[in-house]
Amino acid sequence: MSQNSDTAQDAGPQDGLQGGPTGPNHVAIIMDGNGRWAQRRGQPRLFGHRAGARRVREIVRACPDLGVKYVTIFAFSTENWKRTQTEVSGLMTLFRHYIKKETRALHDEGVRVRFIGDRVRLDAKLVKLMDELEAHTSANTKVNLTIALNYGGRDEVARATQRLAQDVADGRLDPADVGEETLPKYLDTCVLPDPDLVIRTSGEARISNFLLWQSAYAEYEFIETLWPDFTDEIFANLVKNYAGRDRRFGGVKT
Ligand code: IPE
Ligand code: IPE
Ligand code: MG
């Protein structure tokens, strides 16, 4: 299996041949620590979110040289609605501004942008911008950037199961044919390969409902750096570390 596959078909299910002394094809990042970064500077949490958003461009730009074809970032979880109204609405405004401001640069750099997560609860203006950005960049192939917005792994599996059940009810799917390969086709990530490496910043060693199904065999890096301090150099080192990992996928080293 190619590490630099262009299509999800090429990326395919894990067959035990992936990994080894090559770099990760798909890196997923839990961008955590914006709030603490701001608090340490005596600033409001949104100051940290704005600083965090500015880090994304450098990381996406670093991907081609590192051989990373897919990068997926966790921007807002289904649980983040629990935050104050000020923080939530500030984040939603930031997402709108971010899309408007970054569209040209992302397109010029050959980045294809996709969003995963439930759009139903999002503001119509934001959803329109998301749709436009996806359409505008849909022919790009250099890097695939996926932004998880109102995303939760359990929510995604629940929504996928609902659609799967509907297909059974409508006679399009035979329950006897449901196997391990069936559910991924209904997930928001259906066109993406599974992540090879998941990075979480800010020192928390948990995955907070991110890509639950897809990360079954991912390698993990939990690092202390707060997201607004994350650099392309740190990113390159984590990608390099990955090359030393022995991914066995349940098998035995030969
Ligand atoms: C991550 O930073 C960004 C979002 C969850 C939107 P946090 O806002 O969680 O920052 P900390 O964890 O409170 O420092
Ligand atoms: C995970 O961070 C979600 C995002 C980075 C968007 P959180 O800060 O929401 O996670 P917990 O609350 O520490 O688990
Ligand atoms: Mg956090």
Side-chain angles (χ1 to χ4, degrees), residues 73 75-76 81 91-101 103 106 111-138 145-151 159 188:
I73 55 175
F76 191 88
W81 298 103
L91 278 165
M92 295 300 150
T93 304
L94 176 63
F95 297 143
R96 287 203 306 276
H97 288 172
Y98 179 84
I99 294 174
K100 286 186 197 158
K101 192 166 137 270
T103 292
L106 287 165
V111 181
R112 177 170 188 173
V113 184
R114 296 179 179 89
F115 290 89
I116 56 170
D118 190 1
R119 298 179 190 206
V120 169
R121 201 170 164 185
L122 298 174
D123 175 78
K125 267 189 282 177
L126 174 58
V127 173
K128 185 165 179 282
L129 288 166
M130 290 158 63
D131 288 340
E132 284 168 359
L133 180 56
E134 283 188 337
H136 190 65
T137 61
S138 63
L145 169 65
T146 302
I147 304 174
L149 218 168
N150 192 26
Y151 176 86
R159 286 185 288 105
D188 298 348

Side-chain angles (χ1 to χ4, degrees), residues 28-240:
I29 309 177
I30 303 172
M31 310 185 291
D32 198 15
N34 295 347
R36 277 163 283 173
W37 187 88
Q39 273 154 5
R40 280 176 202 176
R41 286 160 179 77
Q43 296 287 340
R45 295 177 61 82
L46 273 164
F47 181 78
H49 293 313
R50 282 194 284 270
R54 284 197 292 274
R55 300 314 308 151
V56 174
R57 193 192 281 197
E58 180 178 308
I59 303 314
V60 174
R61 202 175 265 169
C63 288
D65 282 350
L66 296 170
V68 175
K69 277 298 259 186
Y70 293 84
V71 61
T72 299
I73 55 175
F74 204 2
F76 191 88
S77 79
T78 46
E79 288 73 35
N80 287 148
W81 298 103
K82 292 177 194 160
R83 299 187 178 198
T84 64
Q85 153 77 22
T86 310
E87 183 167 355
V88 170
S89 65
L91 278 165
M92 295 300 150
T93 304
L94 176 63
F95 297 143
R96 287 203 306 276
H97 288 172
Y98 179 84
I99 294 174
K100 286 186 197 158
K101 192 166 137 270
E102 294 295 316
T103 292
R104 182 188 288 241
L106 287 165
H107 184 54
D108 288 351
E109 283 167 36
V111 181
R112 177 170 188 173
V113 184
R114 296 179 179 89
F115 290 89
I116 56 170
D118 190 1
R119 298 179 190 206
V120 169
R121 201 170 164 185
L122 298 174
D123 175 78
K125 267 189 282 177
L126 174 58
V127 173
K128 185 165 179 282
L129 288 166
M130 290 158 63
D131 288 340
E132 284 168 359
L133 180 56
E134 283 188 337
H136 190 65
T137 61
S138 63
N140 294 339
T141 56
K142 205 164 168 194
V143 183
N144 292 274
L145 169 65
T146 302
I147 304 174
L149 218 168
N150 192 26
Y151 176 86
R154 288 180 172 180
D155 176 71
E156 180 192 34
V157 170
R159 286 185 288 105
T161 308
Q162 199 172 64
R163 288 196 298 272
L164 188 153
Q166 191 62 55
D167 278 353
V168 170
D170 295 346
R172 284 188 295 268
L173 181 67
D174 182 346
D177 293 335
V178 175
E180 244 186 68
E181 321 74 35
T182 317
L183 192 69
K185 294 186 184 136
Y186 290 85
L187 295 174
D188 298 348
T189 52
C190 59
V191 299
L192 305 176
D194 285 344
D196 301 297
L197 173 64
V198 178
I199 297 167
R200 183 176 186 141
T201 58
S202 92
E204 313 294 354
R206 55 177 172 262
I207 57 174
S208 301
N209 207 6
F210 190 43
L211 300 176
L212 295 181
W213 175 282
Q214 300 87 338
S215 301
Y217 265 103
E219 298 292 322
Y220 283 88
E221 288 276 8
F222 296 102
I223 62 161
E224 293 296 321
T225 311
L226 301 176
W227 175 252
D229 292 327
F230 193 80
T231 61
D232 54 359
E233 199 184 330
I234 300 171
F235 186 49
N237 279 328
L238 295 175
V239 167
K240 244 176 260 159

